[in-house]
Amino acid sequence: MAATMLQTLLASRGEREQMMAIELLSRGFATFRAHVDSAMVIRRLVGIMLRITEDQGEDGGRADRAEALGRGAVLGRAALVPSSSAPGTRRSSDGRANKASDARMGSVSFAVVGAAKSGLQRISALDMPVVSATLCSMLCDPSVDERWRALHAVGVVVQAHAALLHEHLEAVTSAIVGSLSPKRATERRRLVGAAGTCVRVLERSYACVSFHAETQTLAVGCTNGRCVAFDLRTGTRTSVLDMHGLVAAVAISPLGNLVASFALGSRELCVWDPQPSALAMFAKSLFWPTDAEAHGSVAPTKSMTIPDGFLVHSDVPVLSVMRTIKLSWTGDSTVLLQIRDACFSLSM
């Protein structure tokens, strides 16, 4: 039965058949995932979910760009360059039209798109590790169409299940940054609007994500105690600060030259440089000559420990605790940490 439903999902153009296959596969995913290719199901749902956007043509593409840029999702000058409409309506990076994919998907209605979106959200609730791994794989795909779809799908999953994706935030963010490689300038221009919207969704959903448009710096706090900084101009990770415990809040200074981060476990507030100098990186390489991860490690410029008793403990969900914490800069050199009614400041 699982194989039949998968075949219907992949090959059928009938609206009722597609919706039935989506319903059965998503609601029974806990049972069917042992008998079907889970990644194939997720990729197909993402393709269906975004098919109407692709079918809008040039006018729809302009509307999509206006919406993305209107939200302030600016990723540098490239985002201001008029891009094409949805990549699915264009030629692939090797110059050949993606006719096979278009013919296989056909035209879909809003009802099928809604069913595909609900199906993806249900599967995310049942098996987020598989969904996040599949989206990361799509973001690394050679096809610009596939990466464009994945960027939109990440936003859908975050908005529905931010708490479940939290554990996989570093991997997903790394894949998003990697999809914007400057070595492929044409593809980057076509993806930058969707990537900007995706980054803004992450920033609104997690207190541990901060983006600085002018310096193109993206900082992400992770559940494993790492705080990672990325440079979106180069599509690379620039530095990592190892903290003790889940990183609950991150904020980049107004000038973009400093990052403040707060960890729950150690109750430590740190300020650090996301762009270490070449001399500092060379000095660190002398101490860790074979550890690739350590080469990006940085030490905090300044830190302080918050007294115990201000944080919510026990069985309160992590994201609920994070919502009680606000980290912001009151100037170029002073960071303010608010935990419910208590305030702490750290000046450089």
Side-chain angles (χ1 to χ4, degrees), residues 229-260:
F230 300 93
D231 186 345
L232 272 68
R233 293 169 299 188
T234 60
T236 59
R237 185 190 69 186
T238 57
S239 56
V240 178
L241 176 67
D242 289 312
M243 305 186 72
H244 300 286
L246 180 146
V247 180
V250 173
I252 301 177
S253 66
L255 295 178
N257 61 329
L258 294 172
V259 176

Side-chain angles (χ1 to χ4, degrees), residues 19-273:
M19 291 184 66
M20 180 181 66
I22 291 170
E23 286 290 311
L24 290 175
L25 283 172
S26 60
R27 293 187 182 278
F29 188 75
T31 302
F32 292 146
R33 60 185 168 189
H35 308 284
V36 298
D37 186 338
S38 300
M40 186 179 295
V41 173
I42 294 167
R43 282 175 179 260
R44 175 58 173 166
L45 290 178
V46 171
I48 294 174
M49 185 177 68
L50 294 167
R51 183 57 183 168
I52 280 186
T53 305
E54 295 176 12
D55 284 338
Q56 288 175 340
E58 188 61 30
D59 291 338
R62 281 196 290 267
D64 183 54
R65 291 197 302 276
E67 179 185 5
L69 297 177
R71 292 177 181 173
V74 180
L75 291 172
R77 296 183 181 275
L80 304 179
V81 178
S83 60
S84 66
S85 59
T89 64
R90 305 285 292 180
R91 292 182 177 272
S92 58
S93 58
D94 61 0
R96 297 190 300 272
N98 193 7
K99 295 180 180 179
S101 176
D102 288 347
R104 184 172 63 254
M105 287 187 179
S107 179
V108 296
S109 68
F110 282 102
V112 178
V113 168
K117 181 178 179 180
S118 298
L120 178 64
Q121 292 172 344
R122 279 193 291 269
I123 292 175
S124 299
L126 291 169
D127 199 340
M128 183 59 78
V130 169
V131 172
S132 62
T134 302
L135 292 179
C136 288
S137 176
M138 293 176 68
L139 287 166
C140 299
D141 196 282
S143 168
V144 66
D145 300 345
E146 199 78 344
R147 279 178 275 151
W148 181 85
R149 295 184 186 112
L151 287 168
H152 284 278
V154 168
V156 170
V157 172
V158 169
Q159 290 173 337
H161 301 294
L164 295 178
L165 188 66
H166 187 206
E167 185 179 346
H168 312 278
L169 195 56
E170 181 180 357
V172 172
T173 308
S174 297
I176 292 171
V177 174
S179 71
L180 295 172
S181 172
K183 296 179 181 179
R184 297 171 289 191
T186 302
E187 295 181 7
R188 179 184 170 94
R189 284 195 295 271
R190 292 167 64 185
L191 293 172
V192 72
T197 302
C198 185
V199 167
R200 290 304 183 193
V201 170
L202 292 173
E203 194 175 26
R204 288 195 301 268
S205 302
Y206 300 102
C208 59
V209 176
S210 182
F211 175 63
H212 191 269
E214 293 182 6
T215 60
Q216 293 293 279
T217 300
L218 176 65
V220 179
C222 310
T223 56
N224 60 4
R226 288 156 52 96
C227 195
V228 187
F230 300 93
D231 186 345
L232 272 68
R233 293 169 299 188
T234 60
T236 59
R237 185 190 69 186
T238 57
S239 56
V240 178
L241 176 67
D242 289 312
M243 305 186 72
H244 300 286
L246 180 146
V247 180
V250 173
I252 301 177
S253 66
L255 295 178
N257 61 329
L258 294 172
V259 176
S261 53
F262 176 68
L264 287 180
S266 61
R267 308 187 310 280
E268 189 176 20
L269 173 62
C270 296
V271 175
W272 50 288
D273 185 353

